[in-house]
Amino acid sequence: MARTREFDIDQAVDRAMDLFWRRGYAETSLQDLLKELSIGSGSFYAAFGSKEQLYLRSLERYVSMQHADLKKILDGAPEIRPAVRTLLASLVEMDLADPVRGCLVVNSATQCGNLPAAGDRVNSAIRHVESFIAGALEQAQARGEISPEKDPRELARFLTTFIQGIRIVGQAKVGREFVEDALTTAMRALD
């Protein structure tokens, strides 16, 4: 007779995500995960398969949360400029509040070069952000908020790149004035 699982998988993924986010993939050992999740190795392997598989699930969870936040800000925004500014400013505030942690997608891109599956998920996450922003910009262009000479896809790629850059700069602790100036300049791309 199989034993019933005595822990909540979603809660365990959230806790693992937090641990990976704080410490990084390489610096998080299996023992760290077992301690954080308060489970034995048998339960761990039965539920997650491996440290890498749990990391990928954690990364997916993080990406899902970030995409939900992006959607909440941009989806159906009556005006694109305030919505984009709100999006960018929210990222600046997150990084100013906790610069050590940064962004799990950026951390994965810079720390997990030897994990091709993580690289694939990072690429997919970035492409999703680009696509979602492009869609919002296309709608804004159709409403006449953005010049017809502007290419929404190019603007989306710029803003997506800016988002990733601002997350890295946030970890460098350059300060509010630096990132606010950069945000103001980035907003001019929509003019």
Side-chain angles (χ1 to χ4, degrees):
M1 178 180 207
R3 290 183 56 193
T4 58
R5 189 169 287 139
E6 296 177 11
F7 64 97
D8 182 293
I9 293 286
D10 291 332
Q11 187 177 57
V13 171
D14 286 345
R15 291 174 69 188
M17 177 185 70
D18 185 63
L19 186 62
F20 285 128
W21 196 359
R22 282 184 282 122
R23 299 189 68 190
Y25 177 79
E27 296 300 318
T28 302
S29 70
L30 177 60
Q31 290 306 313
D32 295 330
L33 289 164
L34 296 177
K35 182 178 178 186
E36 180 71 22
L37 304 180
S38 301
I39 61 174
S41 59
S43 295
F44 177 88
Y45 288 117
F48 305 113
S50 68
K51 173 184 157 181
E52 181 178 348
Q53 288 175 319
L54 177 55
Y55 182 76
L56 295 173
R57 274 179 88 166
S58 298
L59 182 56
E60 284 294 325
R61 172 81 172 128
Y62 176 86
V63 167
S64 173
M65 290 168 31
Q66 295 300 304
H67 289 173
D69 290 345
L70 174 72
K71 184 177 169 108
K72 187 168 42 173
I73 292 170
L74 291 182
D75 204 18
E79 294 181 49
I80 196 65
R81 282 174 181 78
V84 169
R85 182 169 257 300
T86 297
L87 170 66
L88 298 177
S90 71
L91 299 174
V92 166
E93 292 305 321
M94 275 191 265
D95 290 336
L96 289 172
D98 192 358
V100 173
R101 207 147 116 131
C103 170
L104 189 57
V105 170
V106 170
N107 296 349
S108 296
T110 59
Q111 299 170 3
C112 295
N114 62 339
L115 296 176
D120 291 344
R121 285 190 170 79
V122 166
N123 187 320
S124 175
I126 290 170
R127 296 292 183 169
H128 182 83
V129 169
E130 172 208 356
S131 179
F132 197 81
I133 292 173
L137 292 172
E138 287 166 3
Q139 290 175 5
Q141 192 174 51
R143 292 189 306 258
E145 293 181 63
I146 296 175
S147 166
E149 286 89 43
K150 298 276 187 176
D151 182 333
R153 180 72 52 191
E154 287 177 8
L155 285 172
R157 285 187 175 164
F158 166 74
L159 289 171
T160 302
T161 302
F162 180 79
I163 288 168
Q164 301 313 313
I166 205 78
R167 303 311 306 261
I168 292 169
V169 168
Q171 285 180 302
K173 302 176 193 169
V174 295
R176 181 176 297 281
E177 183 181 352
F178 186 97
V179 292
E180 289 286 343
D181 287 347
L183 191 146
T184 298
T185 301
M187 290 302 299
R188 288 190 197 120
L190 300 179
D191 293 340

